[in-house]
Amino acid sequence: MKPFPLLMKFILERSAKLFSKQEIVDRSFRYTYYDAYKRMCKLANAIKDLGVEEGDRVATLAWNTHRHFELYWTVPCMGAVLHAVNVRLHPNQIVHIINHAEDEILFLDDDFLPLVECLIDKLKTIKAYVVMADEEKKLRTALKPAYWYEALLEGSSSDFKWPYLDENSPATLCYTTGTTGDPKGVCFSHRMLFLHTLITALPEALSINRYDIVLHIVPMFHVHSWGIPYVATMVGAKQVFPSRFDIEAIMELIQREKVTVTAAVPTVYIMMLNHPRADEYDLSSLRLAFSGGAPTSPGLIKAFREKFGVQLITSYGLTEACPILTKAHLKPHMLNWPPEAKDAFYSKTGLPLPCLDLRVVDEMGREVSCDNKSIGEVIVKGPYVALGYYKDPDKTAESWDEEGHLHTGDMAVVDEEGYITIVDRRKDVIKSGGEIIPSVLIDKIIEQHPAVAYCATIAMPNEKWGERPLACVTLKPEYKGKVMEKDIFEFCKDKLPKWQIPDAVLFLEEIPMTSTGKKDKKLLRAKNVWMALSTVSKS
Amino acid sequence: MKPFPLLMKFILERSAKLFSKQEIVDRSFRYTYYDAYKRMCKLANAIKDLGVEEGDRVATLAWNTHRHFELYWTVPCMGAVLHAVNVRLHPNQIVHIINHAEDEILFLDDDFLPLVECLIDKLKTIKAYVVMADEEKKLRTALKPAYWYEALLEGSSSDFKWPYLDENSPATLCYTTGTTGDPKGVCFSHRMLFLHTLITALPEALSINRYDIVLHIVPMFHVHSWGIPYVATMVGAKQVFPSRFDIEAIMELIQREKVTVTAAVPTVYIMMLNHPRADEYDLSSLRLAFSGGAPTSPGLIKAFREKFGVQLITSYGLTEACPILTKAHLKPHMLNWPPEAKDAFYSKTGLPLPCLDLRVVDEMGREVSCDNKSIGEVIVKGPYVALGYYKDPDKTAESWDEEGHLHTGDMAVVDEEGYITIVDRRKDVIKSGGEIIPSVLIDKIIEQHPAVAYCATIAMPNEKWGERPLACVTLKPEYKGKVMEKDIFEFCKDKLPKWQIPDAVLFLEEIPMTSTGKKDKKLLRAKNVWMALSTVSKS
């Protein structure tokens, strides 16, 4: 007999039954797991009536709402494939990925009507548009055929039998943000999503339980909102959706709903800290706040703890990994350490989650020494890590080796305790005279200078050394014109070995950012920004 | 490409790497995860040298020791199949299951040398005996060939590459205790054991984390010691093994090692409560104590909390289910209830764990009403629930239906919140005039009588009603001869509906027990104990 298939419907059905009275909040709207489940059944019937069959792709362009949550469960459980489109991509990229995915239906928040109306001629596969708005009157649109989400549900039966699929059936399709080229698609099966949900729910990982109140800050168009809506549903936690991103609304929701767990990129926590009315909000109900998607500094962790009494913990993931791979929690013997010593560990990339085969390896594939110095690339294989890109054998061959390890392109060190710290992207590493200089390390140090807002260090060509570091710096408004290259050199002198100090500093008005808020070093390099320097090399 | 296989080795390898310094205690012996892992590699080489190949069965007859723990991981991870034999079975049953499993090697504690020496002529498949003793001199035995565990390790390399198996390869073989006939074998694959480890590690279930200190009281020859050694290893908890069962040693270990989590049958907790020196032990480090394998009364839960300050929580499982299926934890709105109201829920069978398809159904297969009254049978299907008995298609056909649900034979009610309470075994239920009388319910009530030690109510034949209840009762020593049948009837009068009150009370010196400490009602029925009554029926 075939093993019991790992299908998302088994998680959903149990939660609908056991936690039927548990609450789901979407700004001022409230309903229960029971209500949501009934609407998911109606939604499944409605989507089926639109002609969607098993394996067909269903796209969304939406914020973090209860309707998006309904789609999160309904589309995979009915056997279709959920493609949550990153609304922050360039319109051309949005067109590219919807066509590449061959999406059949597009569910969109009314916020995105103007955007999609401009793209309509280029979207080749969409057969129907479903607009998610509170009121029907917002539905004046050139899109055809267009339906109102609430009307579709209204007209559908709440009886639906979720199919008994093969566990390797596709459940979701996520695209990378295209930091390094066109977005690439990653398809996750029911089995992978199920295992990601189980493993990230462990006390070793998100550790969310039924007593928690979870606020979904990570956009639902970013790799399953880090999988948190699935975990929260499985354990029966109360869930809070903030709709479109608004830092004040988020702080208000944390206070009003007594949120206990959330996750976000560091930028969001920095926005909370720097908010002019930060003192007016009580965020102390938060017992866990995960920070990921970009390095989280010990300084941010300290400031957040001191201001709000909330512990930030770093987590790390990748689109290709569903996404969570590590968590930076402490080992038992560290629990009594002083706060600063703890922060140093909370800000690391962390320890690999259970069941993963995650290693940091040199160019020969050997694991690097656990000395917190030797730099290698993070490679990983595991129950929920993709084995290739969607319809893209060439890119697959570039990133996966013969043994099935994904080469992440993230360069890292490992300490004696096994904690990993990512020090750079492989493509951003500077190779100077045969030695590796991690650009992120230089960024971190220069960003400690009181005048510096951001620093993005990149490689510039050098005849003698191959490459040498160039620091691209933006200054805080009050320091503009008051800080010179020599001040930066002086600042670095006792903080970096001489050969790692940048050869030049370029003061820019702005550092280009990707759609997920990361420094776009690729663009800086592509622009040959060093041509703007009067002296290209001092070495 | 094939999905990443769910193999136990991935859990083991990560824990050996990340938690290398974590401690494992076996009474006065201490070592680390690192040491244990090195010994597992040696053990794998040693077992291979004894001629064991992938798929071969390796049996153990052993207490809860660090050596048994080494076998727990080594045997499955090297591709062989671990068969931990229940040392409390009748010798004939031990012979039966070792022959039925076709075990090739038998690892035994020196305690069991006399037993095995008596059975040697009947064990048809064992090719080698490995004796687990601290000292070689204890190894004078008639068993041939016999090896000393420590010498085998001494002579083996600590380099071993765990094979990359198919996830459906067999990992362990467990036999039921044969409450209802000969023990039946259940084979668990790597995939099933892996998923049981993941799911029972959730905050929804055992919720063990790396800060915990876990004491293994559940015998390791009982269905993977409820899976706890695997979970504890995965999360990197400190583990404590008490060796052979000794209630004083257990209480001392809890106090000395500051144990935070344990699990046991209710009998063990009753022994702790009633121990003459109970007051001398501080058990308050325990944050979680699971009680399973038999019903746990609210009275026991209350007494344990009041005496030791420790919360008992019921959990329920089955050999066929690897074994854990439910946990009786509270929902958020119950947290502020008064202690007695909480105890009533902590003593229920509980809520099904995530990912299980567990139902309580009537004879037509329809789910019973959630009214806490309608009785049905627990049926279950899930990622780690077996799909049949080992080499036994007939017994398989008796217990599994066409949709793959295991019919557990446990009769239960479900309350409005979805909590299940097992009220009887299907075979113990009394069918009186078309109505079901759950025998366990009557037992519980009569056991509240201050003079009663145990009560086992069984069906006795009745011409008019088909069956009628007979209460078999043992009295506490001080009450012997002082309590009559009429006192029991009187006691039941306002506690049971008239038609559920037993027709007769039979006072026995002893209630027969199975090897797992459950009342053996089958034996009572088989003996036709009611023939001892002067009047067979009063109805």
Side-chain angles (χ1 to χ4, degrees), chain B residues 7-81:
Chain B
L7 300 177
M8 295 304 284
K9 75 163 186 157
F10 292 112
I11 296 178
L12 176 64
E13 286 173 334
R14 169 184 171 274
S15 290
K17 197 161 143 183
L18 292 189
F19 310 120
S20 58
K21 295 177 199 163
Q22 182 60 284
E23 217 176 13
I24 295 169
V25 181
D26 179 351
R27 292 154 300 162
S28 59
F29 173 80
R30 280 164 198 276
Y31 69 161
T32 63
Y33 274 43
Y34 176 84
D35 302 327
Y37 185 73
K38 283 288 146 202
R39 281 168 57 93
M40 289 172 193
C41 292
K42 289 180 174 199
L43 180 57
N45 280 315
I47 294 176
K48 216 169 174 180
D49 289 346
L50 290 175
V52 170
E53 295 179 3
E54 277 181 24
D56 287 349
R57 270 80 52 219
V58 173
T60 62
L61 265 172
W63 302 113
N64 291 15
T65 69
H66 69 286
R67 296 189 184 95
H68 207 173
F69 174 70
E70 289 161 5
L71 286 157
Y72 248 53
W73 281 103
T74 304
V75 176
C77 287
M78 69 181 289
V81 185

Side-chain angles (χ1 to χ4, degrees), chain A residues 18 210-211 329-331, chain B residues 18 210-211 329-331:
Chain A
L18 292 189
R210 68 177 59 175
Y211 308 120
H329 50 174
L330 304 185
K331 294 192 177 183
Chain B
L18 292 189
R210 67 177 59 175
Y211 308 120
H329 50 174
L330 305 185
K331 295 192 176 183

Side-chain angles (χ1 to χ4, degrees), chain B residues 371-383:
Chain B
D371 55 10
N372 216 22
K373 283 181 198 163
S374 307
I375 297 175
E377 184 179 8
V378 177
I379 68 169
V380 65
K381 180 157 86 160

Side-chain angles (χ1 to χ4, degrees), chain A residues 446-462:
Chain A
I446 295 181
E447 282 175 358
Q448 286 169 17
H449 189 290
V452 173
Y454 291 106
C455 174
T457 306
I458 59 170
M460 60 177 172
N462 179 287

